[in-house]
Amino acid sequence: MTRLSRSVGFVLACLLLPAAALAQDRPKIGQVDRLEPAAGAYYQGQDRLLDPASPVFLDDTLWTGPQSRLQVRLDDGTELTLGPAARLLVDRFAYGGADGGATLALRRLQGAFKFVGGGVEQAPGHRLSIETGVATLGVRGTSFFAGPIDGAFGVLVLEGKVEVSTDAGSVTLGPGEGTAVTSRKDLPGPVKRWPDEKVQRALAMVAFR
C-alpha cells in the first residue's frame, strides 16, 4: 500500500468515525427493510448513508433523495415508508412487549410517508403521537398515508382510525376516508372518500418501483 493510499484511508476513517460513534451511543430501535436508490439518517450534524438491514437508532432523522424510497421496521413491528425527498424524525420509542410500557413519537418534517402500526399500538396505556407541522395525528390500529397532495397536507386512512387535529379542531377518519389540512390554525377539511385516481397518486409516492 502506498503512502498516499494509507493517507486517504486514514482521512476517510476519521470522517466516518464521528457518525459511527454517535450512532453507537444511542439505542437501536429498528432496521432498514428496503431502500432505493439512496437514503440516510441524520443526527447532531452527522449524516450516514443507509444500506439494506442498516440499524436505525433513537433520534435519527430519516431522509430520502429526490427519487428515493425507504422502508424501516421498528422493533415493535411498526413499519414506516418514506417517499421521495422526505424527512421523518423518530423522536421517542420504547417498547417492553405487549404488557410493558409503549411509547412512539414521530415528527414528519418533509415529504410523504406511510405508517403501519405495530406492537406499540396494541399495548395497554400506550402513548403514540405523530406531529406533521400542520396537524397532530392520533392513530388506532392503523395503516395510513400522509403527505403533500393537491396543494395541501393530505391524510388517507387505509385501515383503522386516525384523528387529525389542529388548533381549530379535529376530524376522525375511517378506512377509505381522507382529509386535507392547509394550516394548523384552520380546521381540517371535510372528511371525504378520495376518488380512486387520488388514492393511487398518494400511494404511488410511497410505493417501491
Side-chain angles (χ1 to χ4, degrees), residues 10-96:
F10 177 76
V11 170
L12 288 175
C14 291
L15 290 173
L16 292 173
L17 181 60
L22 283 170
Q24 291 170 1
D25 287 342
R26 295 173 288 135
K28 174 182 174 294
I29 59 171
Q31 70 176 41
V32 174
D33 265 357
R34 186 177 179 187
L35 62 83
E36 62 179 37
Y42 178 87
Y43 176 71
Q44 289 192 356
Q46 299 292 335
D47 227 340
R48 70 184 192 278
L49 287 176
L50 297 173
D51 295 313
S54 285
V56 173
F57 298 93
L58 185 65
D59 293 328
D60 270 344
T61 296
L62 305 170
W63 59 263
T64 54
Q67 303 298 324
S68 299
R69 309 289 192 280
L70 171 66
Q71 187 174 88
V72 165
R73 188 176 301 272
L74 302 183
D75 287 345
D76 73 320
T78 295
E79 189 178 281
L80 308 171
T81 305
L82 278 64
R87 291 166 63 87
L88 184 72
L89 169 64
V90 185
D91 210 4
R92 293 192 302 276
F93 179 82
Y95 181 62

Side-chain angles (χ1 to χ4, degrees), residues 32 43 52 60-61 75 87 99 110 121 134-135 142 171 175 182 197:
V32 174
Y43 176 71
D60 270 344
T61 296
D75 287 345
R87 291 166 63 87
D99 299 322
Q110 180 177 309
E121 275 196 273
V134 294
T142 311
V171 297
T182 56
E197 178 272 335

Side-chain angles (χ1 to χ4, degrees), residues 70-172:
L70 171 66
Q71 187 174 88
V72 165
R73 188 176 301 272
L74 302 183
D75 287 345
D76 73 320
T78 295
E79 189 178 281
L80 308 171
T81 305
L82 278 64
R87 291 166 63 87
L88 184 72
L89 169 64
V90 185
D91 210 4
R92 293 192 302 276
F93 179 82
Y95 181 62
D99 299 322
T103 300
L104 175 60
L106 304 172
R107 199 182 309 166
R108 175 261 185 191
L109 304 175
Q110 180 177 309
F113 72 96
K114 179 182 174 184
F115 176 96
V116 179
V120 167
E121 275 196 273
Q122 310 302 321
H126 71 271
R127 291 181 293 166
L128 198 162
S129 65
I130 302 174
E131 293 291 339
T132 71
V134 294
T136 301
L137 308 181
V139 303
R140 298 192 295 276
T142 311
S143 170
F144 70 89
F145 160 89
I149 188 168
D150 295 342
F153 179 78
V155 181
L156 170 69
V157 173
L158 306 172
E159 295 181 12
K161 292 184 178 180
V162 172
E163 183 180 35
V164 181
S165 302
T166 68
D167 294 343
S170 65
V171 297
T172 300

